[in-house]
Amino acid sequence: METKPFNPSLILPTPNRRAFLRRAGMGAGSLALTQLLHQQGLLSSTARGALPQASAANPMAPKAPHFRPKAKAVIWLFMTGSPSQVDTFDYKPELQKRSGQPLAGADPKTGFFTTSGKILKSPFAFKQHGDSGSWVSEILPHTAKFVDDMAFIHSAYTKANNHAPGAFEIGSGVMRPGRPCMGSWITYGLGTQSQNLPAFVVMHETKPRGEDAIWSAGFLPKNYQALAIDSRNPKPIADLDRLQTLTDAQQRSQLDLLGQVNREHRDHHPLETELTARIESFELAYRMQTSAPEAFDIANESAATKELYGVGNKDCDVFGKQCLTARRLVERGVRFVQIFAGRGVGGDGSVGDVPWDAHSNIETNHRSCGKATDQPTAGLLADLKARGLLEDTLVIWSGEFGRTSDSQGSIGRDHNPNAFTLWMAGGGVKGGVHYGATDEFGYKAVENRVDVHDLHATILHLMGIDHERLTYRFNGRDYRLTDLSGSLIREIIA
Amino acid sequence: MNEAEFHGKSLMLRLASTLFAIFLAATPTISRADPAGDAFFEAKIRPVFVNHCYKCHSAQAKKLKGALHLDTREGLLKGGENGIVLTPGKPDESKLIQAVRYTNDDLKMPPKDQLSKETVADLEKWVAMGAPDPRGAVAAPVVAAPAKRHIDLDAGRKYWAFQPLAKGEPPAVKAGDRVRTPIDRFVFAKLEQKGLAPNGAASRTALIRRAYADLIGIPPTPAQVDAFVNDASPQAWEHVIDTLLASEHYGERWGRHWLDIVRFAESNGYEFDADRRGAFEYRDFVIRAFNGDMPYDQFIRWQIAGDKLLPGNYEAGAATGFLVAGPSPGQITAKTAEPLRYDQLDDMISTLGSSMLAVTIGCCRCHDHKFDPLPQRDYYRLISCFADTDATELKLDPKPEIYQVAEAKWKADHAPLVAEWEKFMHERLPERVQQWTREGFGVDPAPWRVLDFDRADVVVGGTPDMEKLKRLDDGSLLLENRAKRNETFTLVARTHARQITAMRIEALADKLMPKSGPGIGAKGEFLLTRFALRATPLNGNGAAVDVKLKSVRATPRAKGKKLVVGLDKNPGSGWSPAESGKDEAAIFEFDKPIDFNGGAELTLSLKFDSGIPFARPRIAIASAGASLMLEGESQPQAKGELAAMLEESNDQITAKNQAEIARWMRRIDSQTADAYVPVSKHLEKEPKEQFKNVFAAGVRGGRPVYFLGRGETNKKNGLAPPGFLEVLMTAPEQDERWTVKGQQTVSASKISAARERLLHPDAGSEVRRRAGSNVEESGSSEYLRTGVVNKFASYEVASKPTTQPVEPRVAMAKWITDTDSGAGQLLARVIVNRLWMHHMGRGIVATPNDFGVQGDAPSHLELLDWLAHDLISNGWHLKPLQKLIMTSAVYMEDGDATAANLAADPENKLFWRHPSQRLEAEAVRDSLLSVSGALQDTMYGPGTLDEASGRRSVYLTVKRSKPVLFMKVFDAPEAMQSIGERQVTTVATQALTLMNSPFVRTRAEQLALRARPKPDVDLDAAIAEAYRLAICRAPTAEETGRMHDFIERQGKTYAKNGTDTAFVDFCQALLCSDEFVYVD
């Protein structure tokens, strides 16, 4: 084995590395992790050469999962505003039969406003689809073609009954802002596969209610935070474009100068390992100037592909573009993509930041939200499947919570934290299965109830992470995404 | 695994658990007390049982399998239908272990999901340890609930953080010649024990840059560097530190550290993220407090209870912004109101615990602390201190003395004018009244008498922000600020009319309103939803009457609006007009007439729940017999009132009715009116307090706080009385010492004696301060203006032996700063550690927000205690302590490493070197502004979200949903919870910002112009100047040559002004360099 001169920077913890060790938990105790990092440091100086390793010097390097993952990436289609379970996937004949009658056990203060306590039937026709015979309402005809790829969870519930707290809860496990969201946890746990792109990308149009706090990295270091792409902003990544005054060659020569200056400084400060990372960060930034726009540019996609996603279709152009971009990102190694359905999705009576929020008219609202998301969703599934990506890409469809089975006003539905349906597809989940159930009116989850921690535990599991061992020490406590609970929904795992 | 191995492996665990063992004891008692083992069980074993075994092997199993109970210790030891499953100490013989190993095909558990290797190893280890199991014989009711255990507070008090400060003397060291301060003795002694030597001193250029970065966060100018480098006096270094500590930039730098710790922000977070007007006042308070070197204990007391210690005081009120700086929701639903309130209380106490005491009390919301001696009841007693605390906007005058002086002068000027007017009333008024009566009254026969209101206020949007309705000549009232949506009009008038049977409200059209009104709605509409009228006898004879209505009628109304206003309490129904641009009217007829001999005060309350009021009402009353016409004529109030009053008094003007009669005469008689003009004109000049709206803690509601099981509001276990952390109380009377006034008269004298000894061990001189007793502080603005400390200190007298409850927050403020029997000594340790951390790159306790068992142990406890003691002794001033730290040899070390030191202490826990540090986001940005000459020195006031602003970064508005990009990129924390130690990341987005942002490029251009103001400046000299400006040193010859070459080469690639642009490129590279972004 080739030997190299001893370089203390490779094994010595810097202040940051020290803090990192103290806080990080990926199953190993911090002592063991120290040893691990020492080993890795030594390895990187010898046999493994330039292969990036998880360390404080490069916290974004890919890290070994706890066990073999079934999914490499997640695309979360967030149905902002909360679709109604009984008007999409949770078909309830009793609800249809007994419209207008009092809903037994109804609590008019379940949601944000006050509901009537009277049953409101779904205005939509339901049909069974696929080999699994899964029920889907008429508003999602394209999505319905993929029910045999989906694992439905009909018994999800939340604590929160309003949008921002709900988005915080389903994102981070706690209905307050300030905790890291799942995308950040996963990035922290697994690092990034794509060194030229962020590991975690959020796409939105209007910002959902709760705004950036929904995809916050919380107390995790900032390198695990999301890159948020506003579809209305032609320059999604700040300061990505080279200054207009410089040509590529001029910038290159400026950066070469800087590199020389910084290397010299680093050589005088061998103990400060992050200086090496800093030199690399300028090179990465330089590369990102070309690699990132390429990843976000759908211009070169074929007309057929665009059509598949509904790009150019006025009903669903925005969401279609976002879904198509999500596929491109996942192809390039991005781990976690979250798309928040935005203004373009909004239907009658809804507000842009919560399009599915059908308080006043479930029919017009959901019909229009369906139009705006259905074809892109199906297009994404079809495209992922065709490219062999669905196998290890987990697609999730969910809102913040559900909607009431009794009416708000005469034809609207209020928020309902007690029951909602979500589905997952690909990435190691079974197809065509239905887990959990609501009561006969779809009002409350009654069988195999699934809370947000269970959901998170399951998603982390699919990503190869044991949710109990992914911890981070902050203000004296080892935090987990799943707090003190969370159990796997084994029944949906393939 | 043999026994020796086992002992070796579990050694770490045992060491880690020693402290744990001090104050946690398991119940029920099992003779072998094994807290370490129990901890292992709780951390590693119980979750496995709960998640993987209980489904089939517990009391909750739908169907118990194998008659085996794993949810009790007894069941586990007893085994199931196939016999014993566990042999403590012998994993290989235990069926439980065999089963989870999955090696025996007939016995695999759990049957479907094999446990991970780590989990199996944990189980093996646990059995080898003897299967410690704190659980009782009966299964706990809640699946995941930890075993019931009690916290031993006496043992807890022996934990290092909760012990009294040790009063150790700085040790003697061999390297005495290198000692500059007592600090060095503590640090050197530890190094010498290990046979290590501290580094030598850093160069002067390095030192001055370090001092500037540390104390003000802006690099020194070349002249400042030169002055220090060339100053041969022995006081040169001290002089630099004194200058910097006196700089106003110091507070901007150190205040920002504190703002991290208290999760300061200027918006709500959650949905809509509403801005908090006046939230910056807290930031300004912090900066001023640091600049003024406010005693730290007072700094703390004010943040907890400044509003109650010094009511009406601007600084003390602003300080309480601390309590309410956390995020708060923009929408609250009925179901979430109560949980959210407890969230808010949790935010307050968690922040207080982390920031001031470095205890993780927030952990106790659901259960006793798992590691530290903090019982759950302490948590609820602490939040109970905030029971009535909520965010509000206080109206506070920063300079009340200006008002007081002006007010005194105005009063002096006013008195003779009033005397003159009174003279008129005595001498001339009777004659004026007589003349008017002689002329036959001239009383108007019109049925409606228009009320002339004494008070006409508008409460806007539910906040106590008062606006006035302006009286017009026709008796109507004009709402001057129509842009706002207003809620309630409160109108007060007096009248001597008798038998009042009805009130008419005219809503008059006006061009100032949309579509000429009469409402402020977009179509000129309004919606009056509630009407309430109260009549109070003026002479005090008789009770006030809430008038009931008999009927309401109005001009044609909008469709669908029931005219039930005043008759119902529904905020949705009310009076709304049908047309725009027309006068409208409604008549409210009373159930019973209002009839008070001696006149009545009428208080009318008009509510517009929809937020759409009319803007020009005219309101009149009618007495019995008048015809109540919607369009009926009206008369001014004056003549009718005079006639009624004179009738009451048999035409006599008496001392009682004189003022009232004069008031009405002013309306109808020009001579009376003229006589009053000097008074009324001067009244307009009455000075007003210059209030600022300060976002701060206020008292609202006062809803009780309950003990909650598992932190859930549906599990209330009785009222929680206010109280504090028991582990931090050493006096026998405990809570009462602080919560009850007068109880401690005796002990107060003891306290002062003890304190005196502490403060002045050598003399019986006057007591400087008595933090632990009951007298409140005063003189704030004087202090903050002059920075003179003594005026601030309180010289209190022992309180009288009464027993009144002290406001809980006041009591908490006193407890937390009480160094004798409260939390004061820990408070001192925590802040001292923070100062040390910011100066040295690492705290003596490396976890500044957590001094608990889970945190890091102090590397130099004696030093920490000595510093804390020093802080208390010097009256809690931070600046002298910082100076002490910075003049130590330890602080002045360079960053180099020797092989021996590296090998022995690679992490520099013993402080043998001074490591380099990345500047924080604010310091990077401020340095960019400073070296380019663009830094503005405007202090205080509303901040800005404009990243390109030239103001210091501490004045960038902290809007939770909209972090300023530059700050975010360089790791400024989200203001959601207390941050004791910022993370430092190195990411490509930072590089992108430095390479590509117009902000940085502009700075490079400005730096280039400073270094090379004209093209004829010698390039090498300009390069040197840029180095000196940006990184405070001259370049080496080699560097100059390299930069020169670059500029020439790069310059040729530009079509014009090549050298100039290339020089900017070079300057930008300097600003991107490690040397610029790092200190040392």
Side-chain angles (χ1 to χ4, degrees), chain B residues 275-348:
Chain B
D275 291 328
R276 293 172 173 173
R277 183 175 69 147
F280 66 84
E281 298 281 1
Y282 174 76
R283 172 249 283 155
D284 288 353
F285 157 76
V286 170
I287 294 172
R288 277 191 296 266
F290 271 96
N291 275 340
D293 203 13
M294 175 185 278
Y296 183 72
D297 61 339
Q298 174 171 4
F299 181 63
I300 294 302
R301 276 196 298 277
W302 281 19
Q303 290 180 73
I304 297 174
D307 57 328
K308 299 195 177 196
L309 288 165
L310 287 172
N313 180 282
Y314 166 68
E315 297 289 347
T320 63
F322 162 80
L323 291 171
V324 292
S328 65
Q331 286 185 327
I332 297 175
T333 63
K335 281 271 190 303
T336 54
E338 195 174 21
L340 283 170
R341 176 176 175 247
Y342 279 88
D343 281 355
Q344 188 188 12
L345 296 173
D346 182 73
D347 164 72
M348 289 183 201

Side-chain angles (χ1 to χ4, degrees), chain B residues 766-811:
Chain B
E766 69 165 343
V767 175
R768 283 199 290 167
R769 333 194 62 249
R770 286 181 199 158
S773 59
N774 267 332
V775 171
E776 283 141 34
E777 299 160 43
S778 59
S780 64
S781 44
E782 178 65 15
Y783 153 73
L784 287 160
R785 204 173 56 247
T786 61
V788 177
V789 172
N790 277 344
K791 298 222 173 189
F792 230 171
S794 54
Y795 297 82
E796 70 275 11
V797 184
S799 48
K800 283 182 185 164
T802 54
T803 51
Q804 287 172 296
V806 175
E807 286 270 11
R809 273 202 278 127
V810 172

Side-chain angles (χ1 to χ4, degrees), chain B residues 662-927:
Chain B
R663 173 186 171 222
W664 295 118
M665 280 300 291
R666 293 205 305 271
R667 291 261 187 250
I668 61 169
D669 176 56
S670 63
Q671 288 193 28
T672 313
D674 288 350
Y676 189 70
V677 165
V679 175
S680 64
K681 283 210 160 156
H682 196 248
L683 272 173
E684 284 166 19
K685 290 185 206 155
E686 184 170 8
K688 290 197 181 76
E689 289 177 89
Q690 296 300 306
F691 286 126
K692 289 180 137 198
N693 296 306
V694 179
F695 183 80
V699 174
R700 253 198 230 175
R703 291 154 295 177
V705 169
Y706 295 90
F707 291 109
L708 301 183
R710 301 283 317 160
E712 289 168 24
T713 48
N714 57 359
K715 292 180 186 160
K716 296 193 173 73
N717 297 324
L719 274 177
F724 317 113
L725 290 179
E726 291 168 75
V727 76
L728 285 172
M729 292 184 216
T730 54
E733 63 271 44
Q734 306 223 334
D735 290 349
E736 284 127 44
R737 166 179 298 269
W738 303 279
T739 53
V740 181
K741 236 180 202 170
Q743 285 278 304
Q744 77 286 36
T745 318
V746 178
S747 52
S749 64
K750 274 194 217 152
I751 291 170
S752 54
R755 172 167 298 277
E756 201 161 350
R757 279 195 304 280
L758 182 69
L759 296 173
H760 306 279
D762 309 322
S765 57
E766 69 165 343
V767 175
R768 283 199 290 167
R769 333 194 62 249
R770 286 181 199 158
S773 59
N774 267 332
V775 171
E776 283 141 34
E777 299 160 43
S778 59
S780 64
S781 44
E782 178 65 15
Y783 153 73
L784 287 160
R785 204 173 56 247
T786 61
V788 177
V789 172
N790 277 344
K791 298 222 173 189
F792 230 171
S794 54
Y795 297 82
E796 70 275 11
V797 184
S799 48
K800 283 182 185 164
T802 54
T803 51
Q804 287 172 296
V806 175
E807 286 270 11
R809 273 202 278 127
V810 172
M812 178 189 273
K814 292 182 173 189
W815 164 77
I816 205 171
T817 52
D818 183 336
T819 51
D820 292 299
S821 30
Q825 299 195 9
L826 177 57
L827 183 77
R829 273 192 184 111
V830 171
I831 186 61
V832 157
N833 187 58
R834 293 192 193 280
L835 299 180
W836 184 271
M837 180 189 83
H838 286 299
H839 285 299
M840 305 297 298
R842 172 194 172 103
I844 294 171
V845 181
T847 49
N849 269 13
D850 181 19
F851 278 24
V853 173
Q854 287 273 86
D856 275 19
S859 57
H860 298 71
L861 179 58
E862 300 79 8
L863 172 58
L864 184 70
D865 280 5
W866 187 89
L867 291 170
H869 194 270
D870 189 63
L871 177 71
I872 295 168
S873 310
N874 86 9
W876 293 89
H877 293 294
L878 302 183
K879 285 185 179 180
L881 199 67
Q882 289 181 271
K883 183 173 172 184
L884 188 73
I885 292 172
M886 291 180 73
T887 50
S888 72
V890 177
Y891 177 83
M892 296 169 75
E893 283 161 355
D894 66 25
D896 286 347
T898 62
N901 287 1
L902 251 191
D905 178 23
E907 293 183 48
N908 190 36
K909 282 183 173 174
L910 300 176
F911 300 109
W912 51 266
R913 65 185 283 259
H914 195 99
S916 75
Q917 290 183 68
R918 222 268 322 276
L919 291 169
E920 296 94 333
E922 291 83 356
V924 174
R925 186 176 167 280
D926 294 352
S927 297

Side-chain angles (χ1 to χ4, degrees), chain B residues 179-255:
Chain B
V179 167
R180 296 174 55 104
T181 65
I183 291 170
D184 300 318
R185 293 186 178 278
F186 287 103
V187 174
F188 290 175
K190 284 231 167 183
L191 285 169
E192 287 176 3
Q193 276 168 24
K194 301 234 170 186
L196 305 178
N199 275 1
S203 70
R204 283 204 158 199
T205 43
L207 278 179
I208 188 159
R209 189 159 180 266
R210 188 186 293 174
Y212 272 72
D214 273 13
L215 287 179
I216 65 171
I218 295 171
T221 63
Q224 286 163 334
V225 174
D226 290 348
F228 173 62
V229 169
N230 299 327
D231 184 349
S233 92
Q235 282 80 40
W237 177 235
E238 218 179 302
H239 178 67
V240 166
I241 295 170
D242 286 339
T243 310
L244 292 175
L245 285 171
S247 159
E248 291 197 309
H249 287 322
Y250 163 83
E252 294 171 328
R253 172 78 166 142
W254 283 79

Side-chain angles (χ1 to χ4, degrees), chain A residues 107 162 219 253 264 278, chain B residues 331 335 983 1042 1050 1074:
Chain A
D107 174 0
N162 197 17
F219 44 69
S253 100
E264 209 163 87
R278 191 158 189 275
Chain B
Q331 286 185 327
K335 281 271 190 303
Q983 295 142 346
R1042 187 196 299 154
Q1050 182 93 334
D1074 292 344

